[in-house]
Amino acid sequence: MRVLLTAFNSRFTHSSLALRYLAAACRQAKQEIAVYEPTIQTPLTSVLMDVYRHKPDIIGIAVHIWNRDLSLALAAAVKQVMPTVKVIVGGPEVSYAAEQTLRENSAIDAVIMGEGDELFPMVVGDLTTTGNFLSRPGLAFRIDGEIVVNGEPLEVASLDALPF
């Protein structure tokens, strides 16, 4: 499966360290991964065209206070253009309200609650092998139209264990 990780940065000199950690973890789990970082000044249609060119099966979107509205708009636009793409969001603006995020945004398939460095590669692996989200601690997702919230937000036990 092709995985695209993205975040709207506040400016070109701003980079997302979280995306790089997630990418390293996915590569270690033998997943095909790409990172794409537009800024909040990049027109949404341009971002959508770039996302489409990547042809992802899964898109992970990091949602922060400065990019929340654009990120949710991107999720909705992606689902309109590529309805089979799994849209997974994470980050501080959605982690604490995963169920509400899913309820209010039908384009989002899953929310990573808390730190996703260990969980996200597992979720990608689950989708690769089964085609479905599996009930994992720290994951909120949709299944048969129902929202499942499994556990509380996760924390990485040892940062030294993460690839970089």
Side-chain angles (χ1 to χ4, degrees), residues 55-103:
K55 301 278 190 240
D57 299 299
I58 300 168
I59 182 168
I61 304 172
V63 185
H64 298 274
I65 194 167
W66 62 84
N67 70 16
R68 182 182 188 282
D69 292 342
L70 272 173
S71 297
L72 298 177
L74 176 61
V78 165
K79 276 295 190 182
Q80 286 182 335
V81 175
M82 299 176 281
T84 60
V85 171
K86 297 294 186 191
V87 176
I88 303 171
V89 298
E93 286 301 303
V94 293
S95 284
Y96 68 93
E99 184 174 359
Q100 179 181 347
T101 298
L102 288 167
R103 204 174 332 106

Side-chain angles (χ1 to χ4, degrees), residues 4-8 19 34-38 47 51 59-63 74:
L4 178 64
L5 296 172
T6 191
F8 286 95
L19 295 184
V35 173
Y36 171 57
E37 294 180 277
V47 174
V51 168
I59 182 168
I61 304 172
V63 185
L74 176 61

Side-chain angles (χ1 to χ4, degrees), residues 3 49 78 83 90 117-118 125 127 132 162:
V3 180
M49 287 189 310
V78 165
D117 307 83
E118 295 170 327
L127 289 170
N132 295 307
L162 297 177

Side-chain angles (χ1 to χ4, degrees), residues 4-155:
L4 178 64
L5 296 172
T6 191
F8 286 95
N9 293 329
S10 61
R11 57 183 176 260
F12 285 110
T13 57
H14 174 206
S15 294
S16 174
L17 186 58
L19 295 184
R20 281 149 181 80
Y21 269 106
L22 290 175
C26 286
R27 284 187 194 104
Q28 189 175 36
K30 308 288 190 250
Q31 300 297 332
E32 185 179 340
I33 191 100
V35 173
Y36 171 57
E37 294 180 277
T39 70
I40 57 175
Q41 291 84 23
T42 309
L44 185 61
T45 53
S46 295
V47 174
L48 184 59
M49 287 189 310
D50 289 341
V51 168
Y52 184 81
R53 284 187 200 110
H54 278 93
K55 301 278 190 240
D57 299 299
I58 300 168
I59 182 168
I61 304 172
V63 185
H64 298 274
I65 194 167
W66 62 84
N67 70 16
R68 182 182 188 282
D69 292 342
L70 272 173
S71 297
L72 298 177
L74 176 61
V78 165
K79 276 295 190 182
Q80 286 182 335
V81 175
M82 299 176 281
T84 60
V85 171
K86 297 294 186 191
V87 176
I88 303 171
V89 298
E93 286 301 303
V94 293
S95 284
Y96 68 93
E99 184 174 359
Q100 179 181 347
T101 298
L102 288 167
R103 204 174 332 106
E104 294 175 357
N105 300 279
S106 61
I108 296 172
D109 296 300
V111 177
I112 301 288
M113 299 183 299
E115 298 172 359
D117 307 83
E118 295 170 327
L119 179 58
F120 186 76
M122 288 185 234
V123 171
V124 170
D126 293 343
L127 289 170
T128 300
T129 58
T130 70
N132 295 307
F133 293 102
L134 301 180
S135 193
R136 293 192 176 269
L139 181 66
F141 60 99
R142 294 178 201 285
I143 186 164
D144 299 325
E146 298 295 319
I147 294 173
V148 176
V149 179
N150 193 3
E152 296 295 319
L154 296 180
E155 291 183 15

